[in-house]
Amino acid sequence: MQSELMNAYYRDTWVEINLTAIERNVRSLYELYKDKGTEVMAVVKADGYGHGAYEAAQASLVGGATFLGVAILDEAIELRRKGITEPILVLGRTRPTDAALAASMKIAVTVFSLTWLKEAETVLKSNEPLSVHLKCDTGMGRLGLIDQAEIETVSLFIHQSEHFDFEGLYTHFATADEIEIEYYDEQFQQFKELSKILEDHGISVPYVHCANSAAALRFPERAFSMVRFGISMYGLSPSPEIKELLPFKLEPAFALKTTLAQVKKLPEGKAISYGATYVTKQDEWIGTLPIGYADGWIRSHSTNGGTVLIDGEEAPFVGRICMDQCMIRLSAQKHEGTVVTLIGVDQSSSITMDDVAKRLETINYEIPCVISKRVPRLYYRDGILASVKNPIQ
Ligand SMILES: *Cc1c(COP(=O)(O)O)cnc(C)c1O
């Protein structure tokens, strides 16, 4: 079985996804909320933050999630085609002309405009209502209605239309991952009032939700009927500053590995890679790695002093990262084929997603998202290889 799976890709650079970690991260959050009856939406947009949407969705459902969140309709359709039957919400904008398609596949969409609803009504059949979640902008300045009167009008319209099922009301926080909670608090209070207004109109909405990972982990007493769990279901902290405030330990699910394609000793004064920007200062052991910027391993990894792990030791990138390959300086001769860890644990050392994000002056969210589809994903459950996904054959 294993050797058959191993044949599904033909390069020595891969991502390891620990499905058990995803399952446990979701279960920990589920446990935190289960007495309150608050449900967990697993956010698997952007191919599950680069981990694999379908695989991450399945692991999250085992861990207790009951709802899935994606960014675009195509992502929801992919999950349906693969056999996922649980509720799915599209968090971004869907075209009103695609309302019937979404309804037929039981995919809920985000709405924030009366014009949109009226247009969608023209394509919807009354025997197949479209589930909608009304998005309110309480301070993110992205999608959503701002004006309270407009929110009331739109709510009443959805409530009274036979074409729509008023399934959810939600908002999104801009600063829930920061220590300072004043802005978050304002958004929360505003949202609470909005949900109260709907109640006063006698409109009951089954899913009222505002918390992302940061808010869900930090403020469990402030959740409504659902929380949207994204980055932390993958075992990553929403920000470095709130890492110490998290209620349980998160287990990272993503590791990026490659192997030494060639090892050679270069004498002093030899240049490495395009532009010949690195020149050996003495006899140096140089390793060539079969990963480059086309795999999402962008050039700044070498210019910003990046390192990898080999036999538990750090080794720096030298010279520019190429499209498909890059070079490292080894402390000693190593065997070709030796495993090199770019993200993950090697013996007692590790390079975390946060380390890599800091190196690139960005956030951990961005790193797994940009590791391209050319890098096969190997899925492990309880330490055993369960499946391989290599989309490019
Ligand atoms: C991406 C997203 C989330 C998940 O946010 P995390 O910080 O990854 O938990 C939640 N809600 C919306 C609307 C999103 O776009």
Side-chain angles (χ1 to χ4, degrees), residues 41-45 49 69-71 89-92 110 135 140 142-143 170-173 177 209-217 227-234 236-238 365:
M41 172 192 283
V43 181
V44 296
K45 62 192 181 192
Y49 295 43
V70 295
L89 171 64
V90 177
L91 299 163
T110 294
K135 179 96 187 262
M140 175 70 183
R142 198 168 64 177
L143 282 187
Y170 79 108
T171 194
H172 192 51
F173 294 125
D177 62 341
H209 47 110
C210 57
N212 52 5
S213 294
L217 291 164
V227 293
R228 303 189 304 271
F229 202 38
I231 192 72
S232 297
M233 74 175 260
Y234 306 100
L236 303 172
S237 175
Y365 291 68

mmCIF file of all heavy atoms in Angstrom, residues 41-45 49 69-71 89-92 110 135 140 142-143 170-173 177 209-217 227-234 236-238 365, ligand 1:
data_model
loop_
_atom_site.group_PDB
_atom_site.id
_atom_site.type_symbol
_atom_site.label_atom_id
_atom_site.label_comp_id
_atom_site.label_asym_id
_atom_site.label_seq_id
_atom_site.Cartn_x
_atom_site.Cartn_y
_atom_site.Cartn_z
ATOM 1 N N MET A 41 -16.927 26.201 12.917
ATOM 2 C CA MET A 41 -16.748 26.197 11.463
ATOM 3 C C MET A 41 -15.251 26.076 11.199
ATOM 4 O O MET A 41 -14.462 26.874 11.692
ATOM 5 C CB MET A 41 -17.257 27.500 10.838
ATOM 6 C CG MET A 41 -16.908 27.613 9.353
ATOM 7 S SD MET A 41 -17.162 29.254 8.662
ATOM 8 C CE MET A 41 -18.932 29.265 8.482
ATOM 9 N N ALA A 42 -14.876 25.075 10.409
ATOM 10 C CA ALA A 42 -13.468 24.937 10.025
ATOM 11 C C ALA A 42 -13.267 25.711 8.724
ATOM 12 O O ALA A 42 -13.951 25.449 7.733
ATOM 13 C CB ALA A 42 -13.126 23.470 9.836
ATOM 14 N N VAL A 43 -12.354 26.679 8.750
ATOM 15 C CA VAL A 43 -12.131 27.499 7.564
ATOM 16 C C VAL A 43 -11.038 26.836 6.714
ATOM 17 O O VAL A 43 -9.884 26.740 7.130
ATOM 18 C CB VAL A 43 -11.769 28.949 7.941
ATOM 19 C CG1 VAL A 43 -11.564 29.788 6.676
ATOM 20 C CG2 VAL A 43 -12.868 29.568 8.805
ATOM 21 N N VAL A 44 -11.453 26.363 5.544
ATOM 22 C CA VAL A 44 -10.539 25.610 4.669
ATOM 23 C C VAL A 44 -10.338 26.299 3.314
ATOM 24 O O VAL A 44 -10.054 25.651 2.318
ATOM 25 C CB VAL A 44 -11.008 24.143 4.488
ATOM 26 C CG1 VAL A 44 -10.983 23.396 5.817
ATOM 27 C CG2 VAL A 44 -12.430 24.082 3.900
ATOM 28 N N LYS A 45 -10.494 27.619 3.324
ATOM 29 C CA LYS A 45 -10.268 28.388 2.093
ATOM 30 C C LYS A 45 -8.796 28.256 1.667
ATOM 31 O O LYS A 45 -7.955 27.833 2.462
ATOM 32 C CB LYS A 45 -10.619 29.863 2.338
ATOM 33 C CG LYS A 45 -9.759 30.547 3.405
ATOM 34 C CD LYS A 45 -10.342 31.896 3.805
ATOM 35 C CE LYS A 45 -9.462 32.583 4.837
ATOM 36 N NZ LYS A 45 -10.157 33.738 5.444
ATOM 37 N N TYR A 49 -5.499 26.671 3.634
ATOM 38 C CA TYR A 49 -4.284 27.421 3.938
ATOM 39 C C TYR A 49 -3.049 26.653 3.421
ATOM 40 O O TYR A 49 -2.007 26.594 4.083
ATOM 41 C CB TYR A 49 -4.145 27.691 5.440
ATOM 42 C CG TYR A 49 -5.209 28.595 6.062
ATOM 43 C CD1 TYR A 49 -6.547 28.464 5.740
ATOM 44 C CD2 TYR A 49 -4.869 29.576 7.000
ATOM 45 C CE1 TYR A 49 -7.513 29.282 6.321
ATOM 46 C CE2 TYR A 49 -5.830 30.398 7.590
ATOM 47 C CZ TYR A 49 -7.142 30.246 7.243
ATOM 48 O OH TYR A 49 -8.102 31.041 7.825
ATOM 49 N N GLY A 69 -15.940 26.607 6.022
ATOM 50 C CA GLY A 69 -15.905 27.937 5.428
ATOM 51 C C GLY A 69 -14.872 27.970 4.306
ATOM 52 O O GLY A 69 -13.775 27.430 4.454
ATOM 53 N N VAL A 70 -15.256 28.577 3.184
ATOM 54 C CA VAL A 70 -14.328 28.754 2.063
ATOM 55 C C VAL A 70 -14.437 30.198 1.585
ATOM 56 O O VAL A 70 -15.343 30.928 2.004
ATOM 57 C CB VAL A 70 -14.651 27.783 0.897
ATOM 58 C CG1 VAL A 70 -14.431 26.336 1.292
ATOM 59 C CG2 VAL A 70 -16.084 27.980 0.394
ATOM 60 N N ALA A 71 -13.538 30.616 0.712
ATOM 61 C CA ALA A 71 -13.547 32.013 0.271
ATOM 62 C C ALA A 71 -14.416 32.217 -0.963
ATOM 63 O O ALA A 71 -15.058 33.248 -1.112
ATOM 64 C CB ALA A 71 -12.119 32.474 -0.014
ATOM 65 N N LEU A 89 -20.129 27.443 3.924
ATOM 66 C CA LEU A 89 -20.408 28.858 3.679
ATOM 67 C C LEU A 89 -19.293 29.469 2.837
ATOM 68 O O LEU A 89 -18.112 29.289 3.146
ATOM 69 C CB LEU A 89 -20.516 29.627 5.012
ATOM 70 C CG LEU A 89 -20.599 31.159 4.910
ATOM 71 C CD1 LEU A 89 -21.878 31.602 4.189
ATOM 72 C CD2 LEU A 89 -20.526 31.808 6.298
ATOM 73 N N VAL A 90 -19.687 30.195 1.799
ATOM 74 C CA VAL A 90 -18.723 30.967 1.005
ATOM 75 C C VAL A 90 -18.594 32.337 1.678
ATOM 76 O O VAL A 90 -19.567 33.071 1.795
ATOM 77 C CB VAL A 90 -19.198 31.125 -0.455
ATOM 78 C CG1 VAL A 90 -18.216 31.985 -1.246
ATOM 79 C CG2 VAL A 90 -19.374 29.762 -1.110
ATOM 80 N N LEU A 91 -17.387 32.660 2.121
ATOM 81 C CA LEU A 91 -17.181 33.889 2.900
ATOM 82 C C LEU A 91 -17.020 35.125 2.027
ATOM 83 O O LEU A 91 -17.237 36.247 2.474
ATOM 84 C CB LEU A 91 -15.943 33.719 3.790
ATOM 85 C CG LEU A 91 -16.021 32.577 4.826
ATOM 86 C CD1 LEU A 91 -14.635 32.229 5.343
ATOM 87 C CD2 LEU A 91 -16.942 32.951 5.986
ATOM 88 N N GLY A 92 -16.618 34.928 0.790
ATOM 89 C CA GLY A 92 -16.463 36.064 -0.126
ATOM 90 C C GLY A 92 -17.749 36.322 -0.882
ATOM 91 O O GLY A 92 -18.810 35.795 -0.528
ATOM 92 N N THR A 110 -22.561 34.394 1.324
ATOM 93 C CA THR A 110 -22.530 35.632 2.095
ATOM 94 C C THR A 110 -23.245 36.717 1.305
ATOM 95 O O THR A 110 -23.001 36.871 0.108
ATOM 96 C CB THR A 110 -21.056 36.027 2.329
ATOM 97 O OG1 THR A 110 -20.459 35.037 3.170
ATOM 98 C CG2 THR A 110 -20.931 37.392 2.978
ATOM 99 N N LYS A 135 -23.645 39.596 6.086
ATOM 100 C CA LYS A 135 -22.368 40.078 6.618
ATOM 101 C C LYS A 135 -22.467 41.550 6.963
ATOM 102 O O LYS A 135 -22.887 42.377 6.152
ATOM 103 C CB LYS A 135 -21.276 39.863 5.555
ATOM 104 C CG LYS A 135 -19.885 40.332 5.959
ATOM 105 C CD LYS A 135 -19.048 39.201 6.518
ATOM 106 C CE LYS A 135 -17.717 39.625 7.087
ATOM 107 N NZ LYS A 135 -16.610 39.435 6.150
ATOM 108 N N MET A 140 -13.977 46.171 9.918
ATOM 109 C CA MET A 140 -12.924 45.564 9.106
ATOM 110 C C MET A 140 -12.770 46.343 7.794
ATOM 111 O O MET A 140 -11.696 46.353 7.188
ATOM 112 C CB MET A 140 -13.295 44.091 8.851
ATOM 113 C CG MET A 140 -12.372 43.342 7.940
ATOM 114 S SD MET A 140 -10.750 43.027 8.694
ATOM 115 C CE MET A 140 -9.931 42.215 7.316
ATOM 116 N N ARG A 142 -14.093 45.709 4.953
ATOM 117 C CA ARG A 142 -13.929 44.818 3.798
ATOM 118 C C ARG A 142 -15.316 44.542 3.244
ATOM 119 O O ARG A 142 -15.927 45.430 2.676
ATOM 120 C CB ARG A 142 -13.175 43.555 4.253
ATOM 121 C CG ARG A 142 -12.566 42.763 3.134
ATOM 122 C CD ARG A 142 -11.589 41.692 3.622
ATOM 123 N NE ARG A 142 -12.197 40.643 4.436
ATOM 124 C CZ ARG A 142 -11.534 39.591 4.914
ATOM 125 N NH1 ARG A 142 -10.240 39.455 4.675
ATOM 126 N NH2 ARG A 142 -12.137 38.675 5.641
ATOM 127 N N LEU A 143 -15.870 43.362 3.468
ATOM 128 C CA LEU A 143 -17.235 43.090 3.003
ATOM 129 C C LEU A 143 -18.222 43.380 4.119
ATOM 130 O O LEU A 143 -17.923 43.191 5.288
ATOM 131 C CB LEU A 143 -17.393 41.610 2.628
ATOM 132 C CG LEU A 143 -16.848 41.079 1.311
ATOM 133 C CD1 LEU A 143 -17.303 39.646 1.124
ATOM 134 C CD2 LEU A 143 -17.289 41.944 0.135
ATOM 135 N N TYR A 170 -23.260 37.614 10.477
ATOM 136 C CA TYR A 170 -21.875 37.611 10.956
ATOM 137 C C TYR A 170 -21.104 38.879 10.665
ATOM 138 O O TYR A 170 -21.540 39.743 9.899
ATOM 139 C CB TYR A 170 -21.134 36.365 10.478
ATOM 140 C CG TYR A 170 -20.596 36.309 9.053
ATOM 141 C CD1 TYR A 170 -19.223 36.388 8.825
ATOM 142 C CD2 TYR A 170 -21.434 36.107 7.962
ATOM 143 C CE1 TYR A 170 -18.685 36.262 7.537
ATOM 144 C CE2 TYR A 170 -20.900 35.974 6.675
ATOM 145 C CZ TYR A 170 -19.539 36.060 6.469
ATOM 146 O OH TYR A 170 -19.023 35.939 5.212
ATOM 147 N N THR A 171 -19.945 38.956 11.335
ATOM 148 C CA THR A 171 -19.007 40.049 11.108
ATOM 149 C C THR A 171 -17.599 39.490 11.258
ATOM 150 O O THR A 171 -17.417 38.330 11.627
ATOM 151 C CB THR A 171 -19.267 41.219 12.077
ATOM 152 O OG1 THR A 171 -18.561 42.379 11.613
ATOM 153 C CG2 THR A 171 -18.795 40.903 13.495
ATOM 154 N N HIS A 172 -16.611 40.306 10.950
ATOM 155 C CA HIS A 172 -15.217 39.836 11.022
ATOM 156 C C HIS A 172 -14.370 40.870 11.753
ATOM 157 O O HIS A 172 -14.491 42.072 11.516
ATOM 158 C CB HIS A 172 -14.699 39.626 9.595
ATOM 159 C CG HIS A 172 -13.392 38.891 9.516
ATOM 160 N ND1 HIS A 172 -13.167 37.691 10.158
ATOM 161 C CD2 HIS A 172 -12.232 39.178 8.857
ATOM 162 C CE1 HIS A 172 -11.928 37.279 9.891
ATOM 163 N NE2 HIS A 172 -11.350 38.158 9.114
ATOM 164 N N PHE A 173 -13.524 40.387 12.656
ATOM 165 C CA PHE A 173 -12.683 41.286 13.459
ATOM 166 C C PHE A 173 -11.378 41.644 12.753
ATOM 167 O O PHE A 173 -10.769 40.803 12.093
ATOM 168 C CB PHE A 173 -12.339 40.632 14.803
ATOM 169 C CG PHE A 173 -13.533 40.431 15.690
ATOM 170 C CD1 PHE A 173 -13.833 39.161 16.184
ATOM 171 C CD2 PHE A 173 -14.355 41.488 16.035
ATOM 172 C CE1 PHE A 173 -14.932 38.962 17.003
ATOM 173 C CE2 PHE A 173 -15.460 41.298 16.855
ATOM 174 C CZ PHE A 173 -15.746 40.031 17.340
ATOM 175 N N ASP A 177 -6.266 39.606 17.100
ATOM 176 C CA ASP A 177 -4.977 38.961 17.390
ATOM 177 C C ASP A 177 -3.984 39.909 18.051
ATOM 178 O O ASP A 177 -2.815 39.588 18.198
ATOM 179 C CB ASP A 177 -4.375 38.386 16.098
ATOM 180 C CG ASP A 177 -4.078 39.479 15.071
ATOM 181 O OD1 ASP A 177 -4.634 40.590 15.190
ATOM 182 O OD2 ASP A 177 -3.278 39.220 14.150
ATOM 183 N N HIS A 209 -22.344 34.538 14.158
ATOM 184 C CA HIS A 209 -20.920 34.253 14.373
ATOM 185 C C HIS A 209 -20.037 35.457 14.102
ATOM 186 O O HIS A 209 -20.292 36.235 13.177
ATOM 187 C CB HIS A 209 -20.467 33.039 13.547
ATOM 188 C CG HIS A 209 -20.898 33.023 12.090
ATOM 189 N ND1 HIS A 209 -20.009 33.203 11.068
ATOM 190 C CD2 HIS A 209 -22.104 32.832 11.502
ATOM 191 C CE1 HIS A 209 -20.649 33.104 9.902
ATOM 192 N NE2 HIS A 209 -21.930 32.880 10.139
ATOM 193 N N CYS A 210 -19.027 35.618 14.923
ATOM 194 C CA CYS A 210 -18.088 36.718 14.716
ATOM 195 C C CYS A 210 -16.641 36.311 14.935
ATOM 196 O O CYS A 210 -15.740 36.920 14.378
ATOM 197 C CB CYS A 210 -18.435 37.895 15.624
ATOM 198 S SG CYS A 210 -18.472 37.503 17.379
ATOM 199 N N ALA A 211 -16.399 35.267 15.731
ATOM 200 C CA ALA A 211 -15.024 34.984 16.139
ATOM 201 C C ALA A 211 -14.206 34.248 15.076
ATOM 202 O O ALA A 211 -14.631 33.237 14.543
ATOM 203 C CB ALA A 211 -15.037 34.160 17.423
ATOM 204 N N ASN A 212 -13.032 34.783 14.785
ATOM 205 C CA ASN A 212 -12.007 34.066 14.021
ATOM 206 C C ASN A 212 -11.179 33.259 15.035
ATOM 207 O O ASN A 212 -11.532 33.209 16.218
ATOM 208 C CB ASN A 212 -11.150 35.060 13.220
ATOM 209 C CG ASN A 212 -10.599 36.187 14.090
ATOM 210 O OD1 ASN A 212 -10.766 36.190 15.321
ATOM 211 N ND2 ASN A 212 -9.954 37.149 13.472
ATOM 212 N N SER A 213 -10.072 32.682 14.606
ATOM 213 C CA SER A 213 -9.266 31.886 15.544
ATOM 214 C C SER A 213 -8.887 32.691 16.782
ATOM 215 O O SER A 213 -9.045 32.222 17.915
ATOM 216 C CB SER A 213 -7.969 31.397 14.889
ATOM 217 O OG SER A 213 -8.237 30.486 13.864
ATOM 218 N N ALA A 214 -8.369 33.900 16.563
ATOM 219 C CA ALA A 214 -7.880 34.703 17.684
ATOM 220 C C ALA A 214 -8.989 34.946 18.714
ATOM 221 O O ALA A 214 -8.810 34.699 19.911
ATOM 222 C CB ALA A 214 -7.332 36.028 17.168
ATOM 223 N N ALA A 215 -10.157 35.403 18.239
ATOM 224 C CA ALA A 215 -11.257 35.702 19.164
ATOM 225 C C ALA A 215 -11.800 34.417 19.792
ATOM 226 O O ALA A 215 -12.110 34.380 20.984
ATOM 227 C CB ALA A 215 -12.365 36.449 18.427
ATOM 228 N N ALA A 216 -11.881 33.348 18.997
ATOM 229 C CA ALA A 216 -12.423 32.087 19.520
ATOM 230 C C ALA A 216 -11.545 31.530 20.631
ATOM 231 O O ALA A 216 -12.039 30.972 21.617
ATOM 232 C CB ALA A 216 -12.541 31.071 18.390
ATOM 233 N N LEU A 217 -10.227 31.696 20.480
ATOM 234 C CA LEU A 217 -9.305 31.155 21.481
ATOM 235 C C LEU A 217 -9.212 32.046 22.716
ATOM 236 O O LEU A 217 -9.047 31.569 23.830
ATOM 237 C CB LEU A 217 -7.910 30.991 20.860
ATOM 238 C CG LEU A 217 -7.794 29.885 19.799
ATOM 239 C CD1 LEU A 217 -6.514 30.054 18.984
ATOM 240 C CD2 LEU A 217 -7.829 28.506 20.463
ATOM 241 N N VAL A 227 -18.204 29.641 15.897
ATOM 242 C CA VAL A 227 -16.920 30.341 15.749
ATOM 243 C C VAL A 227 -16.268 29.852 14.461
ATOM 244 O O VAL A 227 -16.488 28.723 14.036
ATOM 245 C CB VAL A 227 -15.976 30.117 16.957
ATOM 246 C CG1 VAL A 227 -16.534 30.769 18.213
ATOM 247 C CG2 VAL A 227 -15.718 28.627 17.193
ATOM 248 N N ARG A 228 -15.489 30.743 13.854
ATOM 249 C CA ARG A 228 -14.834 30.386 12.584
ATOM 250 C C ARG A 228 -13.342 30.174 12.848
ATOM 251 O O ARG A 228 -12.594 31.104 13.121
ATOM 252 C CB ARG A 228 -15.051 31.514 11.553
ATOM 253 C CG ARG A 228 -16.528 31.826 11.318
ATOM 254 C CD ARG A 228 -16.723 32.777 10.139
ATOM 255 N NE ARG A 228 -15.990 34.030 10.265
ATOM 256 C CZ ARG A 228 -16.457 35.129 10.853
ATOM 257 N NH1 ARG A 228 -17.676 35.152 11.385
ATOM 258 N NH2 ARG A 228 -15.725 36.223 10.921
ATOM 259 N N PHE A 229 -12.950 28.923 12.760
ATOM 260 C CA PHE A 229 -11.608 28.515 13.159
ATOM 261 C C PHE A 229 -10.750 28.309 11.916
ATOM 262 O O PHE A 229 -10.955 27.362 11.164
ATOM 263 C CB PHE A 229 -11.749 27.207 13.938
ATOM 264 C CG PHE A 229 -10.620 26.882 14.869
ATOM 265 C CD1 PHE A 229 -9.981 27.858 15.609
ATOM 266 C CD2 PHE A 229 -10.216 25.556 15.036
ATOM 267 C CE1 PHE A 229 -8.958 27.528 16.500
ATOM 268 C CE2 PHE A 229 -9.202 25.219 15.923
ATOM 269 C CZ PHE A 229 -8.569 26.205 16.652
ATOM 270 N N GLY A 230 -9.812 29.196 11.691
ATOM 271 C CA GLY A 230 -8.970 29.105 10.500
ATOM 272 C C GLY A 230 -7.549 28.720 10.865
ATOM 273 O O GLY A 230 -7.232 27.552 11.077
ATOM 274 N N ILE A 231 -6.695 29.722 10.972
ATOM 275 C CA ILE A 231 -5.254 29.492 11.131
ATOM 276 C C ILE A 231 -4.917 28.504 12.254
ATOM 277 O O ILE A 231 -4.009 27.680 12.107
ATOM 278 C CB ILE A 231 -4.509 30.846 11.354
ATOM 279 C CG1 ILE A 231 -2.995 30.685 11.223
ATOM 280 C CG2 ILE A 231 -4.853 31.485 12.701
ATOM 281 C CD1 ILE A 231 -2.512 30.464 9.815
ATOM 282 N N SER A 232 -5.647 28.556 13.353
ATOM 283 C CA SER A 232 -5.250 27.725 14.495
ATOM 284 C C SER A 232 -5.700 26.275 14.375
ATOM 285 O O SER A 232 -5.193 25.408 15.095
ATOM 286 C CB SER A 232 -5.725 28.352 15.804
ATOM 287 O OG SER A 232 -5.094 29.609 15.962
ATOM 288 N N MET A 233 -6.612 25.989 13.434
ATOM 289 C CA MET A 233 -6.910 24.568 13.214
ATOM 290 C C MET A 233 -5.701 23.873 12.595
ATOM 291 O O MET A 233 -5.516 22.675 12.721
ATOM 292 C CB MET A 233 -8.177 24.361 12.367
ATOM 293 C CG MET A 233 -8.055 24.653 10.899
ATOM 294 S SD MET A 233 -9.579 24.223 9.980
ATOM 295 C CE MET A 233 -9.114 22.638 9.266
ATOM 296 N N TYR A 234 -4.836 24.689 11.958
ATOM 297 C CA TYR A 234 -3.608 24.150 11.369
ATOM 298 C C TYR A 234 -2.443 24.194 12.370
ATOM 299 O O TYR A 234 -1.291 23.956 12.006
ATOM 300 C CB TYR A 234 -3.267 24.925 10.093
ATOM 301 C CG TYR A 234 -4.436 24.949 9.133
ATOM 302 C CD1 TYR A 234 -5.275 26.062 9.032
ATOM 303 C CD2 TYR A 234 -4.748 23.819 8.378
ATOM 304 C CE1 TYR A 234 -6.379 26.064 8.190
ATOM 305 C CE2 TYR A 234 -5.850 23.808 7.532
ATOM 306 C CZ TYR A 234 -6.658 24.930 7.447
ATOM 307 O OH TYR A 234 -7.757 24.923 6.622
ATOM 308 N N LEU A 236 -1.354 26.870 14.146
ATOM 309 C CA LEU A 236 -0.551 28.093 14.147
ATOM 310 C C LEU A 236 -1.238 29.181 14.952
ATOM 311 O O LEU A 236 -2.467 29.292 14.946
ATOM 312 C CB LEU A 236 -0.334 28.563 12.707
ATOM 313 C CG LEU A 236 0.330 27.528 11.781
ATOM 314 C CD1 LEU A 236 0.328 28.010 10.335
ATOM 315 C CD2 LEU A 236 1.752 27.229 12.250
ATOM 316 N N SER A 237 -0.436 29.989 15.639
ATOM 317 C CA SER A 237 -0.997 31.079 16.435
ATOM 318 C C SER A 237 -1.396 32.226 15.507
ATOM 319 O O SER A 237 -0.655 32.559 14.583
ATOM 320 C CB SER A 237 0.035 31.562 17.448
ATOM 321 O OG SER A 237 -0.465 32.684 18.135
ATOM 322 N N PRO A 238 -2.562 32.858 15.757
ATOM 323 C CA PRO A 238 -2.997 33.981 14.910
ATOM 324 C C PRO A 238 -1.981 35.120 14.867
ATOM 325 O O PRO A 238 -1.932 35.866 13.894
ATOM 326 C CB PRO A 238 -4.297 34.441 15.558
ATOM 327 C CG PRO A 238 -4.792 33.240 16.304
ATOM 328 C CD PRO A 238 -3.562 32.521 16.782
ATOM 329 N N TYR A 365 0.352 32.915 8.203
ATOM 330 C CA TYR A 365 -0.721 32.549 7.267
ATOM 331 C C TYR A 365 -0.201 32.418 5.828
ATOM 332 O O TYR A 365 -0.650 31.575 5.060
ATOM 333 C CB TYR A 365 -1.795 33.639 7.201
ATOM 334 C CG TYR A 365 -2.675 33.865 8.403
ATOM 335 C CD1 TYR A 365 -2.160 34.383 9.589
ATOM 336 C CD2 TYR A 365 -4.039 33.619 8.340
ATOM 337 C CE1 TYR A 365 -2.986 34.646 10.673
ATOM 338 C CE2 TYR A 365 -4.876 33.879 9.427
ATOM 339 C CZ TYR A 365 -4.339 34.394 10.583
ATOM 340 O OH TYR A 365 -5.158 34.650 11.640
HETATM 341 C C1 LIG B 1 -10.226 33.652 6.760
HETATM 342 C C2 LIG B 1 -11.400 34.027 7.569
HETATM 343 C C3 LIG B 1 -11.577 33.487 8.853
HETATM 344 C C4 LIG B 1 -10.527 32.661 9.547
HETATM 345 O O1 LIG B 1 -9.617 33.534 10.176
HETATM 346 P P1 LIG B 1 -8.396 32.952 11.034
HETATM 347 O O2 LIG B 1 -7.722 34.158 11.541
HETATM 348 O O3 LIG B 1 -7.553 32.190 10.068
HETATM 349 O O4 LIG B 1 -8.989 32.086 12.067
HETATM 350 C C5 LIG B 1 -12.747 33.782 9.512
HETATM 351 N N1 LIG B 1 -13.688 34.565 8.951
HETATM 352 C C6 LIG B 1 -13.539 35.112 7.725
HETATM 353 C C7 LIG B 1 -14.604 35.985 7.187
HETATM 354 C C8 LIG B 1 -12.385 34.873 7.004
HETATM 355 O O5 LIG B 1 -12.233 35.433 5.800
#
